[in-house]
Amino acid sequence: MPPPSDISAPAAHSTPARAGNPGDRAWGWGITIFGGSLLVVAGLILYELGRVAAPSWGQLGYFKFLFSSAWDPVQEKFGALPFIYGTLVTSGVALLIALPVSVGLALFLSEMGPRALRAPVAYSIEVLAAIPSVIYGLWGLFVMVPWLRSSVEPFLQKTLGFLPIFQGPPIGLGYLAAGVILALMILPTIASVTIEVLKTVPPSLKEGALALGATRWESIRISVLPYARPGIIGASLLGLGRALGETMAVTMVIGNSPEIHASLFAPGYSLPAVIANEFAEATGDVHVGALAALGLVLFGITLILNAIARILVEAVARGPKGSRA
Amino acid sequence: MNRLRWRKGVDRFWTVVSGVAVLAAVIPLASLLWLVISHGAPGLTAGFFTSLPTPVGEPGGGVGNAIVGTFFMVGIASLFALPVGIGAGIFLAEKGDGKLGSIVRFTAEVLSGVPSIVIGIVAYGLVVSHMKRFSALAGGVALALLMVPSLARSTEEFIRLVPSALREASLALGVPAWKTSLRVILRTAVGGIVTAVLLAVARAAGETAPLLFTALNNQYWNTDPFQPTASLTVQIYNYAISPYDDWHQKAWTAALVLLLLVGLLNLVARFLSRNRLQGAPR
Amino acid sequence: MNAAQEISPVNSSPRRPVDSLDTPVRVSPEGPAPVVAAEPPKLTVKNLDAWYGSNHALHGVNLTVPPRSVMAAIGPSGCGKSTFLRCLNRMHELIPGARAEGTLLIDGQDLLSRDVDPVTLRRRVGMVFQRPNPFPTMSIRDNVAAGLKLNGIPGNHHEIVERTLRQSALWDEVKDRLDASALSLSGGQQQRLCIARALAVQPEVLLMDEPASALDPIATAKIEDLIHELKERYTIVIVTHNMQQAGRVSDQTAFFYMGDLIEVGPTEKIFTNPSEKRTEDYVTGKFG
């Protein structure tokens, strides 16, 4: 082969171009438009939600809407309190159960479990996350609820029945059932985010504790958990956001009764459940509007929770604060 | 010495606690899978996949129209969601380090946490409230809105897995940046993007809540996008909350079909992502 | 990460028949400009400055490289040698916040100016990277032809593939499996494939950024042999962390330290009789 010819080169190469050729600019603009379209989608979601809810604005005062417990579409009485209460109680129960289990799972998978068991357990968690919620509802309705009614609730009544939350007839369907099924459903979310957070803990922290003669648990308690705490809180908030918005499984086991009860055994209602049950057959614009307004409340709560959760998780991922240098 | 034994005991105690946590998660899972299979399998006949639902008490019948409806609506959703979701993901991976990028990324994160029932209301507002009827299109739009944010984030992550060394190699050959993105980076990430799409499709196929008042339901075959349409998930729900035992049986069988469908999509997705990028230079 | 390779057995191994320091050097050691008078320089760098954000990484570098010769850039980590190399085909522009100012002439034509599309420059100045980076989705053949195909250059790609694979001493090892994945090759073969890929677009200058640092001793020896052959046709600038390698492959050596070009001259002079104390300290192993 002849050496690269210097004579022919400039002719072929010297076409001057402004920095960034037209192809680059077109590509850059094209993908930016796609990226921006995500913001348009977000705007659209907010706008449509407001628009559908609008007919209820004039009819209901904000205060009355949020803090009245009367819900009677026929008489156009719309009070959101039973649903807000049911949503918060079931999600709270779910978090109370799921958080320790998830952290235990995450520690098992990242620190304590026998290595041979870690992969199958991790795989099970993935399966748990992939199961559609209507199947959880089906299982909850036909397997878990009867079990709660016949074993768990009588047991709780016998042992802890002096607490108002464990009083009343054990029906099965109710806040407790919804809380337990939600716990199962948000467990993969909390566990997987917690594992991610634990991975960001510098191994040197743990090794430092171990080198001082700490046991494995002590090294976790002293060095790993404090470091990961904001991230675990973030993971819990993400799970909580999931629980608040979960519809089908809750609708199928909560009992669907727009009342407020102190007992966890009593049937209740949640924000997503009432939307799911009444929206398709809503009796008029105001009813639709009131349901959409419930959706807006739900949207607002989950939005704030998710934003806080993301910020917390990322704060851990970014690394230690100055004090930990 | 005693103190040490105590500390070791504490250590063992917490190890056991973490094992109990594993059981608390795995036992319900096993129960759920086993019951769906054992209750569902007896009803699993060829006719179940091909027939229309029958009224209570009438033997036979299936969820053929609901299976078709699910595929139909997921198809409509993909039509909208894939270009926007993948496009936004490419943007995030290629130009996502700036201010607009972080705003878009944060929006995607937050949107993917919006409850699906709320998205159902949005699709109702976008489609049903204007057309004055429930339709497959409305269901598809709802599913599309659910798919876009998570698709954008997972597409971004798969593109970012492509080693930057490949971009450098291509640019150093005098290939323009846009061609490098399109023909080297995206070409390499394509398996990952297919994985992201399959996972998004699997999730959409399992959604119920946003379909309840957008696509509603339909007892008959339907492939008209402007008519109410059945779906596997809504059918399971309706069967499950009915008071009839033979419908409960059908709910279990339909749940098994849905589980197989979702499981298959997930398996293919896992297989594809495992084979991708193996041995690629870091 | 480079500490290990400095003490790798390559350095002391007597596998090469020609000891580097005996390699004839075209310029007399005492000549002020390391350029053969008869031939104009292929590459001229004037007052090249580079910054990463506010960090002034390269301070007013001036040097020339004669055609068909090898220049090695050496110096401790962070001395600016890699920055220098990246500026030569404007790959530094990929790093956010990086910028360079100065003049880069190839055959007297300025290619660092804002008016010149970096794409134009990069077709004339090819680059081989520290780690082999073949395109994982392409076959061996398509990897070699990648630059031609992606740039839409028509012609007989098959012939070019064979020619460049022969030039990069890989043809005999891969001629029977050109359609196999590039990832089926060993690391050293992958690196020679990357050299072939860079040669296929017919550059005039070849930049090599520590091309053997990720390779074992035998593969390293093959790459070094290859550099000897390639300089018959190409002008080569190689960054290396490994002074013995610089001694073996280069005609001229440039020593960088803390962003300054301390000294540039014939390799033999730099290694045996440097004018600068810092150069001497470095090549004799007193630091770095």
Side-chain angles (χ1 to χ4, degrees):
Chain A
M1 167 195 160
S5 152
D6 293 342
I7 303 158
S8 72
H13 289 297
S14 66
T15 5
R18 301 248 161 253
N21 65 47
D24 285 353
R25 262 177 309 183
W27 170 252
W29 276 109
I31 61 176
T32 305
I33 287 169
F34 274 114
S37 68
L38 208 86
L39 300 180
V40 175
V41 167
L44 207 62
I45 288 175
L46 257 179
Y47 171 78
E48 282 296 329
L49 213 50
R51 194 179 68 81
V52 179
S56 69
W57 287 160
Q59 303 279 328
L60 320 164
Y62 298 106
F63 186 82
K64 209 176 157 202
F65 178 67
L66 287 177
F67 297 103
S68 156
S69 58
W71 180 268
D72 187 350
V74 182
Q75 296 186 35
E76 301 219 327
K77 278 187 185 167
F78 299 105
L81 198 58
F83 313 112
I84 297 176
Y85 175 79
T87 302
L88 294 180
V89 167
T90 52
S91 304
V93 170
L95 192 59
L96 227 55
I97 301 172
L99 180 59
V101 174
S102 305
V103 174
L105 257 175
L107 287 177
F108 183 92
L109 286 175
S110 59
E111 311 275 345
M112 325 239 276
R115 275 178 200 284
L117 283 180
R118 289 186 189 181
V121 170
Y123 187 69
S124 308
I125 302 308
E126 277 179 49
V127 174
L128 218 46
I131 293 173
S133 71
V134 70
I135 296 183
Y136 276 107
L138 183 70
W139 178 81
L141 187 58
F142 292 116
V143 182
M144 195 193 70
V145 165
W147 177 63
L148 288 178
R149 182 171 49 225
S150 63
S151 327
V152 179
E153 292 182 353
F155 172 78
L156 285 172
Q157 214 161 29
K158 222 183 297 171
T159 51
L160 297 166
F162 55 90
L163 294 171
I165 56 170
F166 296 130
Q167 288 170 0
I171 310 171
L173 293 174
Y175 297 114
L176 183 64
V180 173
I181 198 96
L182 281 176
L184 195 57
M185 296 178 74
I186 64 174
L187 207 146
T189 307
I190 305 181
S192 61
V193 178
T194 303
I195 290 170
E196 289 305 308
V197 169
L198 290 182
K199 270 187 197 159
T200 65
V201 177
S204 56
L205 276 182
K206 211 172 46 186
E207 286 161 6
L210 289 173
L212 291 172
T215 62
R216 199 169 42 164
W217 165 251
E218 284 165 342
S219 82
I220 290 169
R221 187 171 58 83
I222 295 167
S223 58
V224 176
L225 289 182
Y227 184 95
R229 190 176 295 131
I232 296 175
I233 295 172
S236 315
L237 293 185
L238 280 180
L240 191 59
R242 197 118 289 175
L244 292 172
E246 174 47 46
T247 310
M248 297 320 294
V250 173
T251 308
M252 290 163 89
V253 301
I254 198 172
N256 296 337
S257 143
E259 294 153 38
I260 295 176
H261 295 284
S263 169
L264 292 180
F265 299 167
Y269 226 147
S270 79
L271 288 167
V274 69
I275 300 172
N277 277 327
E278 296 190 2
F279 205 99
E281 285 140 27
T283 48
D285 276 355
V286 180
H287 191 188
V288 168
L291 290 169
L294 295 180
L296 213 51
V297 170
L298 190 57
F299 183 73
I301 299 173
T302 50
L303 215 61
I304 294 167
L305 271 181
N306 273 304
I308 298 174
R310 290 293 167 197
I311 290 166
L312 283 174
V313 171
E314 261 149 46
V316 176
R318 260 200 304 277
K321 299 185 208 98
S323 61
R324 288 206 199 92
Chain B
M1 219 65 257
N2 235 348
R3 169 110 190 103
L4 184 62
R5 192 180 305 153
W6 164 251
R7 288 170 56 204
K8 282 197 165 160
V10 170
D11 186 60
R12 196 156 312 131
F13 171 76
W14 285 106
T15 309
V16 170
V17 166
S18 80
V20 170
V22 170
L23 292 181
V26 171
I27 290 176
L29 173 68
S31 155
L32 186 148
L33 291 178
W34 167 245
L35 288 169
V36 169
I37 293 167
S38 64
H39 283 21
L44 208 59
T45 59
F48 194 79
F49 290 91
T50 55
S51 319
L52 289 174
T54 51
V56 185
E58 211 170 289
V63 292
N65 62 332
I67 295 174
V68 171
T70 290
F71 277 107
F72 186 44
M73 285 190 282
V74 170
I76 293 174
S78 304
L79 224 55
F80 293 114
L82 299 198
V84 178
I86 295 175
I90 295 171
F91 165 78
L92 286 174
E94 294 266 308
K95 296 186 74 177
D97 293 330
K99 187 145 196 159
L100 180 63
S102 38
I103 293 173
V104 170
R105 187 174 300 108
F106 191 74
T107 306
E109 296 270 0
V110 171
L111 281 189
S112 61
V114 174
S116 60
I117 188 97
V118 172
I119 297 297
I121 299 176
V122 173
Y124 175 90
L126 279 171
V127 185
V128 180
S129 73
H130 297 296
M131 301 201 334
K132 307 286 179 209
R133 66 153 69 114
F134 302 107
S135 65
L137 179 65
V141 167
L143 297 182
L145 290 173
L146 284 168
M147 286 167 79
V148 164
S150 60
L151 195 53
R153 288 290 283 122
S154 46
T155 300
E156 180 195 2
E157 271 165 30
F158 279 113
I159 294 176
R160 282 187 188 268
L161 283 182
V162 177
S164 61
L166 297 185
R167 188 188 301 275
E168 293 195 331
S170 174
L171 289 175
L173 290 172
V175 179
W178 68 276
K179 264 191 194 170
T180 299
S181 297
L182 207 56
R183 296 186 59 183
V184 176
I185 307 297
L186 290 185
R187 173 76 192 78
T188 311
V190 83
I193 295 174
V194 171
T195 300
V197 168
L198 287 176
L199 291 176
V201 163
R203 270 193 48 195
E207 282 290 351
T208 320
L211 299 179
L212 289 171
F213 43 87
T214 52
L216 203 67
N217 201 351
N218 193 329
Q219 293 307 305
Y220 303 101
W221 302 101
N222 175 50
T223 49
D224 179 349
F226 303 113
Q227 290 297 330
T229 303
S231 59
L232 210 43
T233 48
V234 172
Q235 194 66 280
I236 294 170
Y237 174 62
N238 286 338
Y239 279 148
I241 62 169
S242 77
Y244 314 113
D245 276 347
D246 66 328
W247 277 14
H248 295 167
Q249 160 63 36
K250 284 180 179 164
W252 286 110
T253 308
L256 178 57
V257 173
L258 179 63
L259 208 57
L260 289 175
L261 175 67
V262 171
L264 191 71
L265 284 169
N266 274 286
L267 273 182
V268 174
R270 283 176 69 94
F271 176 77
L272 278 179
S273 65
R274 183 170 302 174
N275 277 3
R276 272 297 128 189
L277 294 170
Q278 245 177 26
R282 285 285 115 197
Chain C
M1 70 163 258
N2 279 315
Q5 110 221 355
E6 296 244 35
I7 52 160
S8 81
V10 186
N11 308 342
S12 50
S13 132
R15 63 193 164 63
R16 193 182 253 310
V18 185
D19 186 356
S20 60
L21 298 184
D22 298 334
T23 316
V25 174
R26 253 179 279 143
V27 276
S28 52
E30 63 273 13
V35 180
V36 179
E39 257 187 309
K42 182 73 190 171
L43 200 63
T44 308
V45 176
K46 285 186 198 156
N47 300 320
L48 183 66
D49 279 87
W51 291 266
Y52 294 120
S54 58
N55 174 21
H56 198 173
L58 215 52
H59 315 148
V61 171
N62 287 288
L63 56 73
T64 58
V65 186
R68 291 180 297 282
S69 73
V70 177
M71 167 169 286
I74 61 168
S77 296
C79 67
K81 59 189 192 301
S82 280
T83 306
F84 167 71
L85 194 77
R86 288 188 148 250
C87 288
L88 295 185
N89 69 346
R90 287 170 65 172
M91 290 299 281
H92 70 281
E93 290 173 9
L94 300 187
I95 299 160
R99 65 200 169 88
E101 275 170 25
T103 312
L104 167 64
L105 302 173
I106 293 183
D107 297 329
Q109 189 190 359
D110 186 4
L111 289 166
L112 207 54
S113 120
R114 290 263 159 241
D115 295 338
V116 175
D117 190 336
V119 164
T120 316
L121 168 63
R122 289 172 194 154
R123 285 186 201 169
R124 298 181 68 178
V125 183
M127 189 159 188
V128 175
F129 296 85
Q130 204 165 354
R131 290 177 170 277
N133 53 0
F135 298 124
T137 55
M138 296 184 191
S139 66
I140 293 170
R141 185 202 309 277
D142 288 346
N143 257 286
V144 179
L148 304 170
K149 283 189 174 167
L150 293 173
N151 282 318
I153 297 170
N156 188 349
H157 292 178
H158 188 76
E159 188 188 308
I160 295 173
V161 167
E162 177 171 345
R163 189 170 65 211
T164 47
L165 280 174
R166 281 188 194 281
Q167 277 181 39
S168 52
L170 193 58
W171 175 252
D172 290 329
E173 292 163 57
V174 302
K175 65 181 177 209
D176 299 323
R177 48 171 177 147
L178 289 173
D179 292 311
S181 163
L183 297 183
S184 65
L185 300 177
S186 71
Q189 288 173 324
Q190 286 186 11
Q191 191 62 301
R192 278 177 282 145
L193 180 67
C194 292
I195 293 173
R197 181 175 66 186
L199 297 180
V201 290
Q202 307 205 357
E204 300 153 42
V205 178
L206 194 59
L207 309 178
M208 301 179 129
D209 187 1
E210 304 195 34
S213 70
L215 305 180
D216 64 67
I218 293 169
T220 302
K222 282 192 173 153
I223 299 282
E224 289 179 7
D225 285 335
L226 184 54
I227 292 171
H228 268 279
E229 282 163 30
L230 290 176
K231 80 171 182 186
E232 305 288 315
R233 295 192 178 90
Y234 302 93
T235 308
I236 296 173
V237 182
I238 178 172
V239 162
T240 177
H241 216 86
N242 173 324
M243 277 177 286
Q244 284 80 353
Q245 184 172 63
R248 287 190 298 264
V249 302
S250 70
D251 306 311
Q252 289 187 76
T253 295
F255 172 61
F256 288 83
Y257 183 61
M258 295 185 64
D260 286 309
L261 173 59
I262 303 296
E263 188 171 3
V264 57
T267 297
E268 190 182 57
K269 175 176 180 298
I270 295 286
F271 278 90
T272 54
N273 183 25
S275 342
E276 287 279 334
K277 178 83 170 66
R278 281 172 295 185
T279 313
E280 186 178 350
D281 287 350
Y282 182 71
V283 299
T284 54
K286 287 205 179 113
F287 74 96

